[in-house]
């Protein structure tokens, strides 16, 4: 048998290898974008080389309005995500725990869920104008479904034997949810959180870009209208970096919270 301690260096080595390959792939992509405009594959006026984009990005780091826009984007993203996650978790636990209620709402959910959030833009502009509230509504609507569906499936997937055991010990409904349902559904919850976080960022940028609420999306639109092509690309890079960082943070939190789960645990195996 191979001990857990003996296998950890091997797992760590694979993780570092994966990170290294990812970084090399990103560098290779940057080199392609550097060379393609310079050799005329794409027009350099509309697709600046990577080096020029990075120079513009560094210049933005000393610009106060850039940081203000970034904070606006993060605030809208975090606020919308928090509302969506709490609402999705609470409603998801209720629907997953009560089969009758789940059956009664399935058709309504399947009708509302496919509606694109961007289709609501004219409606929210009429109701609230080009404000942060309008963008926030889009973010909540899009991220809510990601969380709700995962939580419903997670609660419905709880082992019936565990529920029967909790009932035989006469645990109250809240105690059953806390000690049996929620731990069993937590892997689904974290998946929903990861999906909701990505969707929330996409809709935050989209709302700022189309509606005109303050944030990186509005700065991208302003740069495009001013024909500042390099700045447009630099801000797009920032949004991509935000997405990567958010995903890394949530994945790290997921590994910490689910360290007990078989998918995240290094098991003893035969050599």
């Amino acid at each position: 048998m191979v001990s857990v301690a003996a296998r950890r260096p091997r797992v760590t080595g694979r993780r570092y290898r994966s990170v290294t390959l990812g970084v090399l792939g990103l560098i290779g992509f940057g080199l392609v974008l550097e060379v393609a405009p310079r050799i005329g594959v794409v027009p350099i006026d509309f697709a600046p080389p990577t080096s020029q984009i990075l120079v513009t990005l560094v210049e933005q780091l000393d610009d106060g309005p850039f940081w203000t826009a970034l904070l606006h984007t993060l605030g809208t993203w975090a606020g919308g995500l928090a509302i969506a996650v709490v609402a999705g978790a609470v409603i998801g636990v209720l629907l997953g725990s009560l089969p009758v209620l789940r059956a009664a709402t399935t058709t309504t959910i399947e009708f509302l869920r496919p509606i694109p959030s961007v289709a609501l833009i004219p409606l929210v502009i009429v109701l609230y104008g080009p404000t942060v509230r309008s963008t926030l509504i889009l973010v909540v609507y899009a991220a809510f479904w990601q969380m709700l569906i995962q939580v419903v499936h997670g609660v419905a997937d709880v082992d019936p034997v565990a529920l029967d055991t909790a009932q035989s010990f006469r645990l109250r409904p809240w105690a059953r949810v806390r000690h049996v349902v929620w731990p069993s559904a937590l892997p689904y919850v974290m998946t929903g959180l990861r999906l909701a976080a990505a969707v929330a960022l996409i809709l935050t940028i989209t709302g700022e870009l189309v509606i005109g609420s303050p944030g990186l999306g509005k700065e991208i639109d302003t740069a495009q209208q001013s024909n500042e092509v390099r700045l447009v690309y630099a801000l797009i890079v920032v949004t991509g970096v935000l997405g990567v960082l958010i995903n890394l943070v949530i994945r790290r939190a997921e590994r910490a919270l689910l360290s007990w789960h078989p998918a995240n645990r290094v098991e003893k195996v035969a050599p």
Side-chain angles (χ1 to χ4, degrees), residues 149-172:
I149 299 303
Q150 290 295 325
V151 174
V152 169
H153 285 301
V155 173
D157 197 42
V158 176
D159 188 355
V161 175
L163 290 175
D164 292 340
T165 302
Q167 189 172 4
S168 68
F169 278 99
R170 297 181 180 179
L171 292 181
R172 295 182 177 181

Side-chain angles (χ1 to χ4, degrees), residues 37-124:
R38 296 189 183 279
I39 64 176
V41 175
V42 292
I44 195 170
D45 291 337
F46 301 102
T50 305
S51 57
Q52 295 181 5
I53 296 173
L54 293 179
V55 168
T56 304
L57 177 57
V58 171
E59 292 173 353
Q60 287 299 302
L61 299 180
D62 291 329
D63 190 11
F66 165 77
W67 293 105
T68 302
L70 178 60
L71 290 177
H72 277 300
T73 295
L74 289 176
T76 304
W77 167 80
L81 179 63
I83 295 172
V85 166
V86 172
V90 173
I91 297 175
V93 169
L94 288 175
L95 296 183
S97 302
L98 303 173
V100 174
L101 185 59
R102 183 168 70 250
T105 57
T106 296
T107 303
T108 303
I109 291 174
E110 292 305 318
F111 168 73
L112 294 174
R113 187 164 63 96
I115 298 177
S117 298
V118 292
L120 301 178
I121 289 178
L123 176 61
V124 296

Side-chain angles (χ1 to χ4, degrees), residues 11 77 123 187 235 237 254:
V11 173
W77 167 80
L123 176 61
L235 293 175
V237 169
E254 183 177 9

